[in-house]
Amino acid sequence: MITPKFPVDEKQRIAAVRSYNLLDTLPEKDFDNITALTANICDVPISLVTLLDADRNFLKSHYGIPFNESPRNISFCGHAILEESDIFIVEDARKDTRFKNNPLVKDLQAIFYAGVRLINSEGYPLGTLCVFDTKARTLSKSQKKALIAMAYQVVNLFEARKRNRTLLAVQQELKDKNEQLKNFAGVVSHDMKMPLANMIITSDMLRTKYGHLLDSQGKEYLNYIKQSSFTLSEYITGLLEHYESDKTASLTDEVFDSQEVLEEIIELLNINIDCEINLPEENIEIHANKVALEQIILNLVANSLKYNDKERIKIDIDCFEKNGCYHFKITDNGIGIPKNKLEHIFELFATTDVLDRNGKKGNGIGLSTVKKLVEKLGGEIKVTSKLGEGTTFLFGIKKT
């Protein structure tokens, strides 16, 4: 018997083998199907998917034998990975000096062997797809081709699992980073709320107590401080709503009337301008997350009020149930959204650059939060708009 030598790049090859995280893993149906099919095609009792580790041959799949590893120094595969040919074949191991007196030959009657190297994308032979028989024999041309093709599929499975594991790791990292960002946004936002409130109150106190000492420019500066504080406070509130939307979407579902929730929203808005809001004629019973739905509609109706340049604002709201979903349609006669902005309107921090009714620019958080909530509730949202004439938002959420 001759012990197989190590490849010249053995250190790098071992690192490649271990990068797939397949050593010492449980059997998997995908690999077991391949070895069973390979044994059937080649008409042999044993078929293996092997990974050659530093001192052992780990059998990721073992068809026809009860163990899942063997010493590397007696392995056929240790010789196979050194061969540059497409397939390594030993027709009768009893007559081959490399395998005479090999325990696998003596104890298991491993007389015939054929193995195809499992070469990864970097060119390292990780192990083999191989077959054994208890008698001397040959493989037909079609059997050889099938064995080579099956080995190619094994490598594809290795690579797919490695990619999936990498993607899962990246996904988890992004999830952790997002959680850190949410926590950071929450802490910073809460910490900034009080100083901003103090700035607003202080500017009012300065105007009241020292207003008579200030010229028009001084009073204008105070107005600027107050309005900037209000704008930043609204921005922070929007950020908090956006990052807390996951919590909102996970709240318990309720049973409520559509008319009830729409009337509550109108009351919350405390509208003090000339506005006509037309509610749906039909009142439907809704089984859904009431808090999340309220936040969605509140954001959309508030936008219809803010981004409107008409003397009389008109907002039409429709609601109906279809195909296991609740559908809502909110149409206004407002400013409208430029065509080139429609595609990005739901992206976080995306704005239309159009000033609202009070001359302020939006922060691009509200609609992003709306889309996030709608999707969390199993639905989707769309928008159509015509500049100067108005906008329509259509969204649906799943019935629970």
Side-chain angles (χ1 to χ4, degrees), residues 280-298:
E281 292 182 6
E282 185 184 357
N283 182 32
I284 62 174
E285 186 179 77
I286 296 178
H287 297 248
N289 183 328
K290 185 180 179 183
V291 176
L293 181 60
E294 281 181 337
Q295 189 172 340
I296 293 165
I297 298 173
L298 186 66

Side-chain angles (χ1 to χ4, degrees), residues 38-279:
T38 301
N40 185 267
I41 292 171
C42 295
D43 191 25
V44 293
I46 299 170
S47 177
L48 311 172
V49 170
T50 76
L51 289 162
L52 213 60
D53 199 6
D55 58 359
R56 59 171 177 156
N57 198 21
F58 174 71
L59 315 181
K60 176 57 186 170
S61 179
H62 47 97
Y63 178 89
I65 56 174
F67 52 88
N68 68 352
E69 69 176 42
S70 63
R72 177 172 175 172
N73 61 355
I74 63 170
S75 71
F76 282 62
C77 299
H79 290 280
I81 66 164
L82 299 172
E83 293 290 323
E84 295 294 331
S85 56
D86 291 338
I87 185 168
F88 177 74
I89 296 177
V90 179
E91 293 182 355
D92 190 340
R94 295 167 300 187
K95 298 177 181 178
D96 193 312
T97 55
R98 292 169 295 183
F99 305 106
K100 274 184 179 179
N101 302 317
N102 187 305
L104 296 175
V105 179
K106 291 168 63 179
D107 301 334
L108 294 178
Q109 292 298 298
I111 308 301
F112 171 80
Y113 173 88
V116 177
R117 295 183 302 163
L118 303 175
I119 301 176
N120 77 345
S121 55
E122 297 174 313
Y124 294 112
L126 309 174
T128 67
L129 171 64
C130 61
V131 295
F132 285 93
D133 205 341
T134 56
K135 59 187 179 184
R137 54 166 297 172
T138 59
L139 291 180
S140 67
K141 187 175 180 180
S142 62
Q143 286 173 327
K144 290 178 183 177
K145 286 180 67 176
L147 189 57
I148 293 169
M150 288 295 187
Y152 180 78
Q153 293 307 316
V154 171
V155 174
N156 283 343
L157 281 175
F158 284 177
E159 298 292 352
R161 274 157 176 69
K162 188 176 183 179
R163 283 194 299 270
N164 287 344
R165 198 178 69 255
T166 302
L167 287 173
L168 286 172
V170 170
Q171 187 181 47
Q172 185 59 48
E173 185 180 352
L174 288 173
K175 188 177 178 182
D176 293 341
K177 294 283 187 187
N178 189 49
E179 195 61 36
Q180 291 172 15
L181 181 59
K182 283 164 65 176
N183 293 335
F184 175 76
V187 170
V188 171
S189 299
H190 281 299
D191 287 350
M192 288 179 70
K193 277 280 192 178
M194 187 55 70
L196 285 170
N198 289 338
M199 287 173 68
I200 293 167
I201 293 168
T202 302
S203 63
D204 284 339
M205 288 174 63
L206 286 170
R207 176 182 287 279
T208 302
K209 193 169 182 179
Y210 302 106
H212 63 284
L213 299 176
L214 298 172
D215 58 14
S216 58
Q217 191 173 28
K219 292 175 182 178
E220 189 178 327
Y221 287 152
L222 281 179
N223 284 336
Y224 179 75
I225 291 171
K226 184 175 180 178
Q227 288 306 315
S228 296
S229 299
F230 270 125
T231 299
L232 188 52
S233 182
E234 289 173 6
Y235 187 83
I236 290 168
T237 300
L239 271 179
L240 282 172
E241 286 181 356
H242 182 82
Y243 285 113
E244 289 176 359
S245 59
D246 287 340
K247 294 179 185 176
T248 303
S250 65
L251 293 174
T252 307
D253 295 331
E254 303 175 45
V255 179
F256 53 93
D257 292 335
S258 60
Q259 209 74 11
E260 171 196 338
V261 75
L262 292 172
E263 287 172 358
E264 286 177 2
I265 288 167
I266 292 170
E267 190 176 340
L268 279 170
L269 287 166
N270 192 23
I271 302 168
N272 57 6
I273 51 179
D274 190 5
C275 178
E276 173 190 337
I277 299 182
N278 299 309
L279 300 182

Side-chain angles (χ1 to χ4, degrees), residues 322-336:
K322 184 180 179 182
N323 298 330
C325 289
Y326 302 110
H327 299 271
F328 292 84
K329 180 180 179 182
I330 300 173
T331 302
D332 63 52
N333 64 339
I335 297 170

